[in-house]
């Protein structure tokens, strides 16, 4: 270990440190650009703690480990959200505190600051967002517990702030959708986009990732194995939301015929070309336009997924069958859509009476 004047840069300091990596090999790390020897020594101490995953390190140093462990395991836009919260809401308060010295009282003081803080609009942060940033702080401590032997999670002991978002579940009836679809007929691509969303219940990202090769018109099936995002002006194709989201969907004959006609009308489209080369903002604009022209109540594009589910429930399909089609667990379907299922309690009671002999 050494901290010396950097001969290549006047007045700056160079740190050279030997350390043992996770494989047991001895390696050397050099870092330039320190204005003072003290800065170099502080960096050296933190680097050694990080290389040994010693939780006497600062919160900022552990966040660097957390980022390295986590960012390649989540979707790019998910990590960007996490990173923004960490940089703007967590590091300004906790960066210089030692990981193993942060107490529940420190979390409560931070929570009080966050609840008083105002956003860019001059208003306090919403309860939903307060809960989100607390959850990110708690996730960092949970990571330290799970992989680096931190004894306990001070954020969990302090308790959460804010509250969960209560998601209003809106949906269209079949009649409302058919009325809306008439306004889309002046733009063939928009019309077919909404035909797919309503009659299959797939997610917007799944729709926008569809390629010609995803369709099997002989079997009238549609393959879902990817999702589309637009990040920093770049088209990104990722895996679907969950493993269960990888699925094959049977299309009704009329939809299969419509989409075959649409794809055949595209100019020299290849199997791996997206058939709907637009973004989610395009869908938002078209939704606004269609609702305004027809007077149908405004819903989100994602609510077409709820609309499809509602349609299937009214047709008498089971929660398990609907879950397979939509790509999530049946227990989730039952919980979120339970209010749409016709009640069976009276029927159950009557059958139990018959079974008992009354």
């Amino acid at each position: 270990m050494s901290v010396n004047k950097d001969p290549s840069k006047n007045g700056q300091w160079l740190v050279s440190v030997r350390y043992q990596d996770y494989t047991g090999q001895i390696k050397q790390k050099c870092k330039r650009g320190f204005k003072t020897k003290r800065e170099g020594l502080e960096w050296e101490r933190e680097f050694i703690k990080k290389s040994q995953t010693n939780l006497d390190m600062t919160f900022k140093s552990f966040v660097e480990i957390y980022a390295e462990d986590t960012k390649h395991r989540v979707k790019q836009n998910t990590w960007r959200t996490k990173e923004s919260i960490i940089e703007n809401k967590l590091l300004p308060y906790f960066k210089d505190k030692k990981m193993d010295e942060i107490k529940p009282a420190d979390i409560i003081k931070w929570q009080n600051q966050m609840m008083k803080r105002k956003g860019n609009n001059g208003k306090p942060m919403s309860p939903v967002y307060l809960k989100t940033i607390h959850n990110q702080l708690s996730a960092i401590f949970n990571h330290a517990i799970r992989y680096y032997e931190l004894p306990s999670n001070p954020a969990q002991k302090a308790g959460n702030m804010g509250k969960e978002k209560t998601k209003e579940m809106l949906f269209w009836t079949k009649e409302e959708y058919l009325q809306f679809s008439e306004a889309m007929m002046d733009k063939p691509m928009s019309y077919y986009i909404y035909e797919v969303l309503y009659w299959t219940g797939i997610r917007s990202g799944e729709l926008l990732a569809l390629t010609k090769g995803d369709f099997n018109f002989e079997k009238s099936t549609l393959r879902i194995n990817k999702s589309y995002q637009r990040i920093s002006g770049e088209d990104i194709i990722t895996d679907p939301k969950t493993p269960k989201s990888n699925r094959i969907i049977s299309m009704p004959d009329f939809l299969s015929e419509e989409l075959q006609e649409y794809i055949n009308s595209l100019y020299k489209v290849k199997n791996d070309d997206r058939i709907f080369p637009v973004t989610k903002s395009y869908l938002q604009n078209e939704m606004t336009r269609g609702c305004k022209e027809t007077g149908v109540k405004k819903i989100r594009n994602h609510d077409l997924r709820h609309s499809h589910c509602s349609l299937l429930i009214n047709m008498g399909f089971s929660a398990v069958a609907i879950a397979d089609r939509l790509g999530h667990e049946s227990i989730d379907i039952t919980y979120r859509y339970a209010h749409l299922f016709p009640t069976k309690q009276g029927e159950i009671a009557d059958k139990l009476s018959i079974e008992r002999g009354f």
Side-chain angles (χ1 to χ4, degrees), residues 235-263:
D235 293 335
I236 305 292
I237 301 296
T238 67
D239 291 334
K241 186 175 182 180
T242 66
K244 186 85 171 180
S245 299
N246 285 282
R247 61 202 190 276
I248 300 294
I249 297 174
S250 294
M251 296 182 289
D253 289 340
F254 73 86
L255 182 62
S256 181
E257 292 171 6
E258 285 181 343
L259 291 172
Q260 187 170 17
E261 180 181 340
Y262 168 68
I263 291 174

Side-chain angles (χ1 to χ4, degrees), residues 317-332:
F317 291 101
S318 70
V320 173
I322 296 170
D324 287 341
R325 187 168 179 84
L326 295 185
H328 39 84
E329 302 297 333
S330 58
I331 190 170
D332 182 51

Side-chain angles (χ1 to χ4, degrees), residues 14-159:
L14 165 71
V15 178
S16 178
V17 57
R18 289 169 64 83
Y19 68 99
Q20 188 176 38
D21 70 7
Y22 70 96
T23 66
Q25 292 184 321
I26 301 299
K27 295 188 175 182
Q28 185 161 333
K29 173 77 173 180
C30 292
K31 177 77 171 177
R32 290 184 161 87
F34 297 102
K35 295 180 181 179
T36 66
K37 185 175 183 178
R38 181 178 178 181
E39 286 183 7
L41 288 168
E42 288 176 355
W43 180 88
E44 181 185 62
R45 282 193 294 271
E46 282 299 307
F47 179 81
I48 292 170
K49 290 173 185 175
K50 284 169 61 180
S51 67
Q52 298 172 346
T53 59
N54 182 338
L55 291 178
D56 182 45
M57 73 178 77
T58 63
F59 181 83
K60 180 180 179 182
S61 293
F62 185 77
V63 161
E64 292 172 6
I65 294 174
Y66 171 78
E68 190 62 31
D69 290 348
T70 306
K71 66 182 177 182
H72 301 298
R73 297 173 180 268
V74 299
K75 291 185 177 180
Q76 189 175 345
N77 64 327
T78 300
W79 177 251
R80 283 171 179 256
T81 300
K82 287 176 171 289
E83 189 175 41
S84 175
I85 290 172
I86 291 168
E87 291 289 334
N88 298 308
K89 305 298 189 302
L90 307 185
L91 285 178
Y93 188 91
F94 294 106
K95 64 179 179 181
D96 296 324
K97 297 181 183 294
K98 299 292 182 68
M99 277 293 291
D100 59 359
E101 294 179 358
I102 298 175
K103 305 299 181 188
D106 297 313
I107 307 298
I108 291 172
K109 289 177 183 177
W110 166 77
Q111 288 177 338
N112 289 337
Q113 285 195 12
M114 291 298 102
M115 288 187 283
K116 292 177 183 176
R117 188 167 169 177
K118 295 183 178 179
N120 295 332
N121 59 3
K123 298 180 180 179
M125 291 182 282
S126 72
V128 173
Y129 188 58
L130 288 172
K131 185 175 179 66
T132 299
I133 61 178
H134 177 92
N135 287 347
Q136 179 55 63
L137 178 63
S138 188
I140 292 171
F141 287 114
N142 282 336
H143 191 80
I145 290 170
R146 185 173 182 181
Y147 300 108
Y148 300 103
E149 300 182 358
L150 184 71
S152 62
N153 183 339
Q156 188 177 50
K157 288 183 178 180

Side-chain angles (χ1 to χ4, degrees), residues 63-309:
V63 161
E64 292 172 6
I65 294 174
Y66 171 78
E68 190 62 31
D69 290 348
T70 306
K71 66 182 177 182
H72 301 298
R73 297 173 180 268
V74 299
K75 291 185 177 180
Q76 189 175 345
N77 64 327
T78 300
W79 177 251
R80 283 171 179 256
T81 300
K82 287 176 171 289
E83 189 175 41
S84 175
I85 290 172
I86 291 168
E87 291 289 334
N88 298 308
K89 305 298 189 302
L90 307 185
L91 285 178
Y93 188 91
F94 294 106
K95 64 179 179 181
D96 296 324
K97 297 181 183 294
K98 299 292 182 68
M99 277 293 291
D100 59 359
E101 294 179 358
I102 298 175
K103 305 299 181 188
D106 297 313
I107 307 298
I108 291 172
K109 289 177 183 177
W110 166 77
Q111 288 177 338
N112 289 337
Q113 285 195 12
M114 291 298 102
M115 288 187 283
K116 292 177 183 176
R117 188 167 169 177
K118 295 183 178 179
N120 295 332
N121 59 3
K123 298 180 180 179
M125 291 182 282
S126 72
V128 173
Y129 188 58
L130 288 172
K131 185 175 179 66
T132 299
I133 61 178
H134 177 92
N135 287 347
Q136 179 55 63
L137 178 63
S138 188
I140 292 171
F141 287 114
N142 282 336
H143 191 80
I145 290 170
R146 185 173 182 181
Y147 300 108
Y148 300 103
E149 300 182 358
L150 184 71
S152 62
N153 183 339
Q156 188 177 50
K157 288 183 178 180
N160 216 318
M161 59 178 175
K163 63 181 180 181
E164 290 281 5
K165 183 177 182 180
T166 302
K167 296 181 179 179
E168 184 181 8
M169 190 177 294
L170 299 174
F171 57 91
W172 281 337
T173 63
K174 181 182 69 175
E175 290 71 25
E176 286 174 314
Y177 167 69
L178 292 175
Q179 185 178 347
F180 170 87
S181 68
E182 289 182 6
M184 297 292 104
M185 288 183 177
D186 61 340
K187 293 184 180 180
M189 183 171 65
S190 295
Y191 174 76
Y192 293 119
I193 281 174
Y194 283 100
E195 284 285 270
V196 175
L197 288 175
Y198 182 78
W199 295 109
T200 68
I202 66 175
R203 300 175 178 93
S204 297
E206 294 169 345
L207 169 111
L208 295 176
L210 289 176
T211 62
K212 178 183 178 181
D214 290 323
F215 293 87
N216 184 330
F217 291 115
E218 290 184 5
K219 297 182 178 180
S220 290
T221 59
L222 170 59
R223 177 183 63 195
I224 302 297
N225 64 356
K226 53 191 173 295
S227 185
Y228 167 89
Q229 298 171 355
R230 182 80 172 173
I231 301 175
S232 299
E234 183 180 359
D235 293 335
I236 305 292
I237 301 296
T238 67
D239 291 334
K241 186 175 182 180
T242 66
K244 186 85 171 180
S245 299
N246 285 282
R247 61 202 190 276
I248 300 294
I249 297 174
S250 294
M251 296 182 289
D253 289 340
F254 73 86
L255 182 62
S256 181
E257 292 171 6
E258 285 181 343
L259 291 172
Q260 187 170 17
E261 180 181 340
Y262 168 68
I263 291 174
N264 288 340
S265 72
L266 300 177
Y267 181 70
K268 292 185 177 180
V269 64
K270 299 176 183 176
N271 271 353
D272 58 353
D273 288 341
R274 290 171 56 215
I275 64 167
F276 300 123
V278 294
T279 64
K280 289 184 180 180
S281 62
Y282 176 90
L283 301 188
Q284 292 167 0
N285 291 336
E286 287 299 271
M287 174 63 78
T288 300
R289 178 177 74 89
C291 291
K292 186 175 181 179
E293 289 184 13
T294 61
V296 173
K297 70 174 178 285
K298 181 74 160 45
I299 63 173
R300 302 165 301 172
N301 283 288
H302 186 74
D303 290 322
L304 288 168
R305 189 166 163 83
H306 304 322
S307 302
H308 184 69
C309 182

